Amino acid sequence: MFAVPVLDVSPYLAPGAHAGNDPACARVAAELDRACREVGFLQITGHGVPVAATEGLADALDAFFGLPLEAKKPYRRPGENRGYSPPKSESLSRSLGIETAMNDFYESFTVGSERSWYPGLTLPEASYADNTWPDAAPDFRPAVEAYFAQVTALSRVLLRVFTDALGLPLGYFDSMTGHSIDALKMNNYALPEGEVAGEILGMGAHTDFGILTVLWADQVPGLQVLDSDGVWHDVQPAQGAFLVNLGDAMARWTNDRWMSTVHRVDPPVVDGTIVRRRSAAFFFDGDHDAVIEALPGCADTASPGYPPITVAENIAMKVAGLKGGALADPGLREAERVRAAR
């Protein structure tokens, strides 16, 4: 049976804790390695993010997405990974190189790392654009910034678990994540509540772009994960847990020892009726100039591996499909898995 493993990561919250000095951490790292090899998705508990932060985020989403469409449109940033995206303006399947007849039905708001956060560095605006904040929802910014800070810290804790799980030296990824492109994409599945009618797509099949994703979501059906046998499975977060999945950078770094799992969101349906669904995906993507190539111990002469690519180049290719309609490389391995899915 398909199941998303649940990991209690609390041992890693202790200052300086790692697999080399704490048996509890070693156990968590081994469990994470198994989850990343076999599933590519996991749930984490013991993460230390206060309930007040997630409740504040949920209230912020309600305040902004509850505005009339015409009040939200001024915050659009067409072609950029920032600001508001109306329903049916994006297509995540195209970021995987898969053509689709319709765009996705979610609406979203995205914020992320800015150049001003890293004084003294010359960083490309395309990767570190300034944020847009909606003054039409005055409580939105402080709640989102508070949550962003919490999951940023959590993602760095998880990177330590990843480092241990891969048997790499402490701090191995520090030189690749010092000015990481981080982004928080907040989603509202903008379908009228009521009876299901016709073929509709909440969010198309895709992989995430970077190192890892920390996902908060309503306990509402819709999220589906593609297993290694090409079968879609429903996934729903447990109360108080975050879903965590790997992105393309980690899959490429590990030469597919760990999987960047394909996932999608079908219209959230309960008893034949569409219900409201919200989610917020925090993407920990790594430095724009970090090179993604096989890590020590992951090169395999039996596998050709992936050609080297920078984090920014990989993200740019995917965003061009997501927002601009330009298909990503249709030969991506994950795209073949989606085409063969059942």
Side-chain angles (χ1 to χ4, degrees), residues 146-172:
Y147 178 81
F148 195 103
Q150 290 287 338
V151 288
T152 297
L154 174 60
S155 69
R156 274 54 177 180
V157 170
L158 292 173
L159 188 61
R160 284 196 285 120
V161 188
F162 282 28
T163 303
D164 285 346
L166 290 166
L168 296 170
L170 291 176
Y172 182 87

Side-chain angles (χ1 to χ4, degrees), residues 295-328:
L295 295 169
C298 294
D300 184 354
T301 55
S303 171
Y306 293 92
I309 189 174
T310 67
V311 165
E313 288 168 344
N314 183 64
I315 292 173
M317 175 182 67
K318 295 298 191 80
V319 170
L322 167 67
K323 291 181 173 290
L327 284 181

Side-chain angles (χ1 to χ4, degrees), residues 2-3 5 32-41 227-228 257-259 261:
F2 179 87
L32 181 131
D33 179 47
R34 184 164 53 252
C36 292
R37 286 175 182 265
E38 297 175 359
V39 182
F41 251 75
D227 72 12
S228 57
R257 166 179 164 178
W258 288 357
M259 297 185 294
T261 301

Side-chain angles (χ1 to χ4, degrees), residues 18-341:
H18 61 88
N21 64 15
D22 187 334
C25 287
R27 185 172 58 253
V28 171
E31 291 174 354
L32 181 131
D33 179 47
R34 184 164 53 252
C36 292
R37 286 175 182 265
E38 297 175 359
V39 182
F41 251 75
L42 55 146
Q43 297 198 55
I44 60 167
T45 60
H47 46 68
V49 175
V51 172
T54 54
E55 289 179 343
L57 175 73
D59 290 343
L61 267 61
D62 290 345
F64 178 75
F65 290 126
L67 295 170
L69 180 59
E70 291 306 312
K72 293 179 283 191
K73 282 184 175 179
Y75 305 108
R76 292 191 67 186
R77 300 271 293 273
E80 297 182 84
N81 203 27
R82 291 289 186 274
Y84 177 61
S85 296
K88 297 187 284 186
S89 65
E90 298 184 343
S91 173
L92 270 157
S93 289
R94 290 193 182 101
S95 74
L96 206 59
I98 298 173
E99 187 59 85
T100 179
M102 69 179 77
N103 283 357
D104 300 337
F105 272 78
Y106 66 84
E107 59 180 343
S108 66
F109 198 99
T110 302
V111 299
S113 305
E114 300 181 351
R115 288 178 296 173
S116 63
W117 296 5
Y118 305 105
L121 296 180
T122 302
L123 300 173
E125 184 178 3
S127 297
Y128 301 88
D130 292 341
N131 288 307
T132 291
W133 295 102
D135 51 16
D139 296 331
F140 182 87
R141 179 173 183 173
V144 170
E145 288 183 327
Y147 178 81
F148 195 103
Q150 290 287 338
V151 288
T152 297
L154 174 60
S155 69
R156 274 54 177 180
V157 170
L158 292 173
L159 188 61
R160 284 196 285 120
V161 188
F162 282 28
T163 303
D164 285 346
L166 290 166
L168 296 170
L170 291 176
Y172 182 87
F173 290 103
D174 288 355
S175 64
M176 309 176 207
T177 57
H179 47 275
S180 177
I181 302 172
D182 295 342
L184 178 65
K185 184 170 187 173
M186 296 156 279
N187 307 302
N188 182 53
Y189 290 84
L191 293 159
E193 294 200 41
E195 296 300 315
V196 179
E199 289 292 323
I200 50 178
L201 186 65
M203 181 179 283
H206 64 286
T207 57
D208 294 339
F209 308 161
I211 297 174
L212 64 88
T213 301
V214 178
L215 178 70
W216 170 87
D218 284 329
Q219 291 181 294
V220 172
L223 177 63
Q224 294 186 322
V225 170
L226 186 65
D227 72 12
S228 57
D229 294 323
V231 178
W232 290 104
H233 297 273
D234 295 323
V235 173
Q236 202 167 312
Q239 182 68 36
F242 287 114
L243 288 167
V244 173
N245 63 280
L246 308 178
D248 297 333
M250 189 56 70
R252 284 172 172 259
W253 266 325
T254 64
N255 198 23
D256 286 338
R257 166 179 164 178
W258 288 357
M259 297 185 294
S260 179
T261 301
V262 178
H263 51 289
R264 69 184 183 187
V265 178
D266 271 1
V269 177
V270 177
D271 297 330
T273 298
I274 292 176
V275 297
R276 184 168 182 238
R277 186 179 188 276
R278 303 164 298 174
S279 69
F282 176 83
F283 304 114
F284 178 22
D285 289 347
D287 296 349
H288 77 287
D289 51 356
V291 177
I292 310 170
E293 55 188 348
L295 295 169
C298 294
D300 184 354
T301 55
S303 171
Y306 293 92
I309 189 174
T310 67
V311 165
E313 288 168 344
N314 183 64
I315 292 173
M317 175 182 67
K318 295 298 191 80
V319 170
L322 167 67
K323 291 181 173 290
L327 284 181
D329 179 0
L332 292 171
R333 299 182 194 184
E334 298 87 351
E336 295 304 317
R337 292 170 54 201
V338 173
R339 294 186 185 100

